Amino acid sequence: MRQTGDNAPVGLFQSGGLSSLAVGVWLRELPTPARHYIADIGQADPPELDALASSVRRFGDESVVVDLRPSIAAVASDLLRYRARHDGGYWNTTGAARFVLVSGLAPLMRADGCGALAHGCVGGGNDQRRFARYGAHLAPDLPVVEPWTDPRALERFPGRETMLAAVAEHGLSLDPGSGAERSTDASLAGVSHESAELEDLETPVTRLDPRWSEWPEQATAEPETVTVLFREGRVADLDGSGPDPVEWMKRANDLGARHGVWLRDVVERRIIGTVCRGVYEAPGLELLDRAWTRVLQASLDGASRELYDRLSAVLGSAMYEARWLEPAARAAREAMDRLVGEIDGSVTLSVHRGVVRVERMKVAGPVVRQTRFGSGGNRWS
C-alpha cells in the first residue's frame, strides 16, 4: 500500500458490507489510521447506519455518516431521463452509486486531512475500476488504496470466511445482506445481488431473497393506480410527492416493490470483457420507466426517437464503465436534453402483481397526433 505521508489517515468508503469492514480491520492491524465515511444513499434506515457508525467507533476508528440521498436520487433521475441502462435492461444502479460516493465523499476526505481513499471492492471487478476512474477524475491528489490487490491483505484474508470471523470478533455491524456466501449493494436507485449460488447460471432466480420486493405472486391482491407527472422531461410529481427526487423515488420504490415490479436477471458483459450473472432490484425505476417510455413515444418524431435510443445506449455504457464525466457522455447528455427538455405530460398507471398498465395519459409536445374517427371515420386528420 502506498504511504499517505505524515501519518495522514486513509479515508475508507464504509458500506457496512463484509469486504469494507474487513478492510477496516486490515488497516487497523497494519497499523494505518483510518476514518470511515458512511454514505446514506438510501440503502438502509438511518438507525441502521448510526449503529454501523457506533460499532466503528467502539472498534477504535473515527466514523461519520453523510447524507447523500439527494445526490443518488438526482442521478437516478438522470438514469430515467436518459434510460441509461446496461445489458438486459440493468439500470446501472451500482455504477451510479460509485459516482455519487466519490463525488460526494472525496472532498470531505480531503478537507479532513486524509492522504488517500480506500474501498473494499474485490480485485479485478467492475467497482475497482469505477473507483479508480472517478478517483482520478475527481480527486487526482488522493491515491486510491485497493486492498484486494495487495498481497498482505490477501494473505490476511484469503476468503470471506476469515473476513466474517474477524468482523464478528470485533463486533462490527454487518449489513444483513452480506455474509460469507452472498452480498448486496443497495441505494435509493436499486439493489444488486451476488452470491455463490447465483453465480451458477443453472440456479433459478427464485432462489433469491429480495431485499425490498415481493415476488409478483405474493404481492398484494388489490391493484393500485398512480399518476406520474413530467415537466421538462423529468418527473415532477408522483401522487402528491412533489418534484423532490428523493420523495418520488421513495414512493415509486415502495409501490413497485409492493406489487412485484422490480426484477432484472441478466448475464452482463463486464468492463474487463468477461460475462457474469447479475440479479437486480430497481422497483422505482422499473415502474417509472413504463410511464416515461409512453411519454417518449407520444412526444418524439421518428428520427428524434432513433437518435434518443442511440444516445441512451452510449450513456448506459458510460455509467456502467465509469465514464459518465468524459466528453462523449457529456455531449450525449447535452443532445438528449435538447430532445426531451420541453416534454410535459402525465401518465396514470395501474399496478398489480408484476404488471404495469397505462390507464390514460396526456402529453404536450411538438409531434402532431393524428385521429381518424375524430374526423368522421373516413379520413385521417
Side-chain angles (χ1 to χ4, degrees), residues 3 64 74 76 79 108 136 147 164 181 187 204 209 213 235 246 252 277 280 292 310-311 334 352 360 376 380:
Q3 296 299 313
V64 59
L79 294 180
L108 297 179
L164 186 61
E181 295 293 325
S187 74
D209 183 18
S213 305
V235 176
V246 173
R277 188 184 197 179
Y280 303 99
W292 178 232
R310 290 184 179 184
L311 295 173
E334 290 172 5
H352 185 224
R360 56 188 179 274
W380 289 100

Side-chain angles (χ1 to χ4, degrees), residues 239-279:
D239 271 4
S241 69
D244 181 356
V246 173
E247 292 304 316
W248 55 253
M249 272 302 302
K250 286 168 59 178
R251 292 197 186 196
N253 278 333
D254 290 344
L255 181 60
R258 188 162 61 247
H259 284 277
V261 181
W262 59 275
L263 177 65
R264 291 283 171 171
D265 176 17
V266 301
V267 180
E268 67 192 59
R269 288 173 287 246
R270 296 173 67 81
I271 292 173
I272 62 173
T274 59
V275 297
C276 76
R277 188 184 197 179
V279 182

